[in-house]
Amino acid sequence: MRKTLTGMLVTIFVLYANAAWAEPQFDGKQALEHIVSQVSFGPREPNNPRAKQKTVSFIKQTLQPLADRITTQQFSYKGLPGTNLWASFDAVPEGKAQRIMLGAHWDTRPQAEKDRNPALRNQPISGANDGASGVAVLLELARVFAANPPPVTVDLVFFDLEDMGNINGLPYSIGASQFITANPFYRPNAGIIVDMVCAKNLSIPREQYSQSLAGEIMDTVWAIAKQQDSQVFKDSAGIRIMDDHVPFLRAGIKVIDLIHYPFPDHWHSSADTVDKCSSDSLQQVGDVVQQFVATYKP
Ligand SMILES: [Zn+2]
C-alpha cells in the first residue's frame, strides 16, 4: 500500500515537473516588477533623455539573454529623436514559419492634461499603466518564449513616441509609423498591441479599428479569453482608438489593439501610478496572448 502510494506520488511529481518544464507560465507578479522598474527611471518622455536612455538599456538588458536577435532602430521626427527596439524569437523548427508581432509603446505622455489639478496638467505622467504595463507584458512573455520556443516566429517591438498626440500638432504613434517606413518588407501574419493593461478594474472591449480590419484575429483572441474564463476581456463593442495598431492596419498588416476602455480615471493624469496596477490583470492579458502565440493557425 505504502509502495503504491509512493509510486503514485512519484508519478504525479514527474508529470507535474514535466508539465512545468514544458510550458513555463506567464507570471503577472513578475510583469508588475517590470512596471516598478520602468517607473523608477522617471517619465520616459522627450524632456527627460536620461530616463529614456535608462529605459532603453533596461529593455535591452532584460531581453539580451532571452531573444535570438535584438535590433535598435533610431529615427528622428520633426526634430524629436526616437528609438524603437525589435527583439525576435525564432520558431522551432525554423523554416516557413508564420510570424507574429507583439507590440507596446515604451514612451510616456509629457503632459497630464486630464489631471484634476490644473497646476499639474503641464507635468509629465509616471505612465505605470499608459506605457510601462504593455512593455511589462512583453518582457515577461520574452522569458516564457525563451524557456519554451514558440511554434511561430515572434517579434517583440517596443515603440517610442506613441503618446505625443495633439501636443504641438504632433500625431499619435510616431514610432510605429517610423517602424513601418524603416522596415518596408516586414509583413507579419498577425499582430497584437498591448496598451494600458494593468489597472485593477481592467476592461478590454473589442476596439473597433481592430474589429473591422482584423476581425478574425479578434475572434481568436476573444475565444481564448472565453476559454480561459478571463474577466478583463469584455465581449462587447468598444470605440475606434488611435494607437500603434492603426499605422499597421493602414499598411495592410493585420494588427489588433488590446486597450482599456472606457479609459481609466487615472488616464493622462498624475494618478497613473504603480498602486493602480494589479498583477492579476497583467496575468489575464499575458495568459491570453501567450495562448494566442502557442496555438496560432493562419
Ligand atoms: Zn496615452
Side-chain angles (χ1 to χ4, degrees), residues 239-293:
I239 60 164
R240 289 180 290 192
I241 296 175
M242 286 304 302
D243 205 350
D244 288 338
H245 62 316
V246 172
F248 286 93
L249 290 170
R250 283 195 185 124
I253 301 170
K254 291 186 184 299
V255 177
I256 68 162
D257 193 25
L258 302 182
I259 187 168
H260 190 152
Y261 189 82
F263 296 136
D265 291 343
H266 58 255
W267 180 61
H268 290 185
S269 87
S270 61
D272 184 355
T273 47
V274 176
D275 55 299
K276 311 301 187 310
C277 291
S278 147
S279 62
D280 182 58
S281 296
L282 293 160
Q283 183 76 48
Q284 292 187 44
V285 173
D287 283 343
V288 167
V289 175
Q290 185 192 347
Q291 180 78 4
F292 177 83
V293 170

Side-chain angles (χ1 to χ4, degrees), residues 43-234:
R44 284 82 68 208
E45 50 98 12
N47 300 314
N48 201 352
R50 201 174 144 77
K52 292 194 71 171
Q53 191 48 56
K54 281 183 182 173
T55 309
V56 167
S57 299
F58 165 72
I59 294 172
K60 283 162 95 167
Q61 279 167 15
T62 306
L63 293 170
Q64 196 71 54
L66 304 174
D68 291 305
R69 280 176 308 288
I70 305 172
T71 310
T72 306
Q73 298 194 330
Q74 285 172 318
F75 60 87
S76 174
Y77 182 85
K78 295 192 174 174
L80 281 179
T83 305
N84 292 328
L85 298 171
W86 177 3
S88 298
F89 295 77
D90 291 330
V92 174
E94 288 182 62
K96 285 192 234 163
Q98 300 287 318
R99 188 161 206 131
I100 291 177
M101 183 189 81
L102 305 177
H105 75 91
W106 68 267
D107 67 307
T108 55
R109 194 157 178 82
Q111 63 178 39
E113 79 272 9
K114 300 287 183 190
D115 209 281
R116 287 175 194 188
N117 180 353
L120 295 177
R121 287 179 192 159
N122 62 356
Q123 295 297 306
I125 66 167
S126 285
N129 191 17
D130 195 356
S133 72
V135 171
V137 167
L138 264 48
L139 292 179
E140 173 56 4
L141 283 169
R143 186 184 65 77
V144 175
F145 296 148
N148 186 22
V152 293
T153 292
V154 179
D155 300 301
L156 304 182
V157 188
F158 302 83
F159 301 110
D160 198 356
L161 300 183
E162 185 276 334
D163 225 335
M164 301 298 291
N166 301 326
I167 298 172
N168 301 327
L170 292 168
Y172 281 99
S173 298
I174 294 170
S177 297
Q178 293 286 320
F179 182 83
I180 291 167
T181 304
N183 307 289
F185 300 110
Y186 181 63
R187 309 291 298 184
N189 301 85
I192 299 177
I193 301 291
V194 279
D195 191 4
M196 300 205 286
V197 289
C198 75
K200 288 171 181 162
N201 64 340
L202 178 58
S203 150
I204 306 175
R206 291 175 179 253
E207 189 280 330
Q208 284 303 295
Y209 287 122
S210 311
Q211 191 62 47
S212 1
L213 296 168
E216 62 284 10
I217 299 174
M218 295 291 276
D219 290 346
T220 304
V221 166
W222 261 260
I224 292 168
K226 187 177 180 193
Q227 180 202 326
Q228 294 187 356
D229 199 23
S230 169
Q231 302 303 303
V232 303
F233 286 80
K234 311 292 182 191

